[in-house]
Amino acid sequence: MTQHAHHTQTGPRIGIAGAGLGGVTAAGLLQRAGFDVVLFDQAPGFSRLGAGIQFGPNVLKILSHLDGLDRKLTAMSCLPDYWVSRKWDDGTVMAEIPLNAERARYGAPYITIHRGDLHQAMLDCIDPARVRWGHRLVDFTDNGHSVSLDFENGARETVDVLIGSDGINSRVREKIFGAEEAVYTGWVAHRAIIPGAAARALGADVNAKWWSPDRHIVCYYLDRDQDEFYLVTGEPGEWTDRSGQLPSSRAALKAAFEGFHPLVQGYIDATDTVTQWPLKTRDPLPVWSRGRTVLLGDACHPMKPHMAQGAAMAVEDAAVLTRCLAELGTQDLERTFAAYYAARKTRATRVQSVSNANTWLKAPEDPYWCYGDNVYDLKLGT
Ligand SMILES: Cc1cc2nc3c(=O)[nH]c(=O)nc-3n(C[C@H](O)[C@H](O)[C@H](O)COP(=O)(O)OP(=O)(O)OC[C@H]3O[C@@H](n4cnc5c(N)ncnc54)[C@H](O)[C@@H]3O)c2cc1C
């Protein structure tokens, strides 16, 4: 890949466990900062998860540091002018919050997109020689000078720094802090994608959340041409299965949203494949690193997804961690990781608690503290 040839690869070797949205961002930014990066994931290869995602201006500002990925994504995505909160039964507007309508004030666009398209576009920003699929990290040893990594497939690697971006059931976290199950919140999410034409025929809002006292459904387009429309819910439910998702059905979704507005019924009637996901969280961790190992994203602060900022926090973590490693160096990792934690802890914990409370944008409010943030303006502690 000639486009990557100008990046120097002689810096400290950084191993990243987990090629989700956080790990991929870290790999792309660290590679550009001159680090010798290697990114591992347990999955046998890239797979296109059938779901949508919202990324706010706080994230797009970071993606501009990946060779204009922000512009590429903005050209592909749906760009909602407003977020609309509606009452579940009669559709009364409870709040209308400017998104791209105040793009200049936030400093970047707000996008909604298919997760698979987003993940692929982000992976395209990394030198493919640095990505190792089929590598499930099972153990690691920090000998004070380096970290040796052991993978399920028998491979061993040695790195100077290990980043654990391996999600809510992080092996890296478990090794540092001990085994502890994530907390099931008592809520599930249904997800489905319907044809955009069906949503348009019904007169869908571009981006809306319908709220009843105990559940909600969020609905938005996934692309510029409005070819796909996405439904994602939050509802009380049982979850005993160990797996992270299960197949569900239109009938289950219909039953869960009985009595909701006819527009919502119309969306549900247009569904075909429906999946169901448990919503889990963890208490905030008192530290995010030990020795040569550091955590980011869901590995250290998973949350209920009701602010649409979980992956955003993983991307922000990756950007701040890259800044700390590049600006403060790897000689004194305790200091570098302390600066990372100090820069991230308050904001990540605030987002985690607002997201878990499920109050975000329900009533009129100014989301500037979240969307207006730019991690490149942060002054890093020493
Ligand atoms: C229903 C729902 C809707 C959401 N909507 C939004 C939204 O609109 N906007 C938003 O910002 N966030 C949203 N989120 C949150 C977001 O999905 C997560 O916060 C985000 O995916 C976390 O990214 P991550 O990179 O930290 O971890 P993950 O995406 O979980 O990635 C972890 C990776 O690590 C790999 N892995 C795991 N264990 C190992 C191992 N031992 N060795 C090697 N690899 C390993 C996995 O295969 C995976 O690829 C939503 C979440 C849910 C459940």
Side-chain angles (χ1 to χ4, degrees), residues 11 34 37 60 77 82 122 132 165 287 294 333 344 362 374:
V37 179
L60 274 284
S77 306
Y82 290 90
M122 291 177 78
R132 312 270 161 82
S165 50
V287 282
V294 62
L333 282 172
R344 294 298 301 149
K362 185 172 185 176
N374 185 341

Side-chain angles (χ1 to χ4, degrees), residues 18 20-22 41-42 53-54 115 135 137 166 191 298 308 310-312:
L21 297 173
D41 202 284
Q42 63 184 0
I53 190 164
Q54 322 207 26
R115 266 177 191 255
H135 279 65
L137 184 73
D166 47 348
R191 283 168 152 170
D298 278 11

